[in-house]
Amino acid sequence: MRDMSLMAKSTVRGVRMPFDNPDAKVIRAYVHWFDQAGTIDIDLSAFLVDEKGNFCTISYSNLRLQKDIVVHSGDVRHRRGACAEYIDIDVAKSLSAGYRYCLVDVRNFDGRSLKAVEPSFGFMEREYPESNKIWHPETVSNAYLLDSQSSNTLVCILDLETKEYIMVDIDSNGKTFAAGDKIKLMETINYYTQ
């Protein structure tokens, strides 16, 4: 890996890693940061694609995929103190709707590098989605410090069928929102899943 510092366990770009809990019903991708001055706007997005190339984006501007297949916690902007956004991906519902892959990315909407903000990214493998302010560290399966000089990083792809993570760690300068970067996202998914 190039820009993501080791936090929980070692990973190599492109290698498939099985879910720690193969029975997890919900994968929660999260980004966490501390905003001392109330000036930071970090965005977490998920880009789902099926075998035919159909896709949808879950982000601050589109918080839900029909029937709560995927749910975003909501946008956190310029809030002082500890901040987090998460996306809950229901594995069975996503597969039933035809979505096999989910690319997760983190973007600094203000355009500064991620290294300047030092957010951490990780996964929780959960039995059910639950929105609350209590952090349950026992469900964290992996975590990384994002220290890219870029403002955007494509972090990983979830293969929901095989129940594996594919860590990609690719800088994605340019668009500050995932929905505006579909060509780059599709190229990344196609390359790393083939």
Side-chain angles (χ1 to χ4, degrees):
M1 300 300 280
R2 195 171 42 87
D3 292 325
M4 293 175 9
S5 298
L6 175 66
M7 294 276 290
K9 57 185 164 186
S10 182
T11 35
V12 176
R13 179 186 291 150
V15 171
R16 289 176 173 259
M17 301 181 313
F19 292 179
D20 284 345
N21 176 5
D23 298 322
K25 295 176 179 64
V26 173
I27 301 299
R28 172 173 286 181
Y30 69 86
V31 61
H32 180 272
W33 68 97
F34 190 84
D35 189 346
Q36 189 166 350
T39 59
I40 299 171
D41 185 2
I42 299 294
D43 292 317
L44 179 68
S45 303
F47 187 78
L48 284 90
V49 64
D50 64 17
E51 298 280 1
K52 298 175 185 173
N54 301 312
F55 53 81
C56 69
T57 304
I58 303 299
S59 65
Y60 65 89
S61 62
N62 183 29
L63 298 177
R64 292 182 186 276
L65 182 57
Q66 73 254 6
K67 299 180 184 175
D68 294 339
I69 294 170
V70 180
V71 179
H72 193 291
S73 61
D75 197 15
V76 175
R77 298 184 68 239
H78 308 134
R79 182 185 304 163
R80 289 184 183 209
C83 301
E85 290 185 14
Y86 62 84
I87 297 175
D88 282 345
I89 303 144
D90 187 302
V91 176
K93 286 182 181 179
S94 295
L95 288 169
S96 293
Y99 295 107
R100 175 171 179 178
Y101 301 112
C102 178
L103 173 63
V104 182
D105 75 345
V106 176
R107 297 173 186 248
N108 187 343
F109 192 82
D110 297 327
R112 292 180 287 170
S113 72
L114 290 170
K115 187 175 184 70
V117 180
E118 295 185 334
S120 60
F121 170 85
F123 296 105
M124 294 178 167
E125 298 177 356
R126 302 164 65 90
E127 293 301 311
Y128 53 90
E130 181 182 26
S131 177
N132 59 36
K133 295 182 179 181
I134 299 172
W135 206 253
H136 296 288
E138 69 273 7
T139 65
V140 172
S141 63
N142 220 342
Y144 303 89
L145 179 64
L146 300 178
D147 60 359
S148 171
Q149 294 294 341
S150 169
S151 59
N152 311 330
T153 296
L154 307 179
V155 183
C156 74
I157 301 167
L158 280 72
D159 185 332
L160 301 173
E161 185 175 286
T162 63
K163 298 187 176 181
E164 295 172 309
Y165 303 107
I166 307 168
M167 301 306 289
V168 293
D169 183 24
I170 296 174
D171 289 346
S172 178
N173 280 327
K175 305 287 184 179
T176 56
F177 54 100
D181 213 4
K182 291 177 182 174
I183 293 171
K184 172 82 169 181
L185 300 177
M186 284 299 293
E187 287 173 352
T188 301
I189 290 171
N190 288 336
Y191 181 81
Y192 282 97
T193 59
Q194 299 303 319

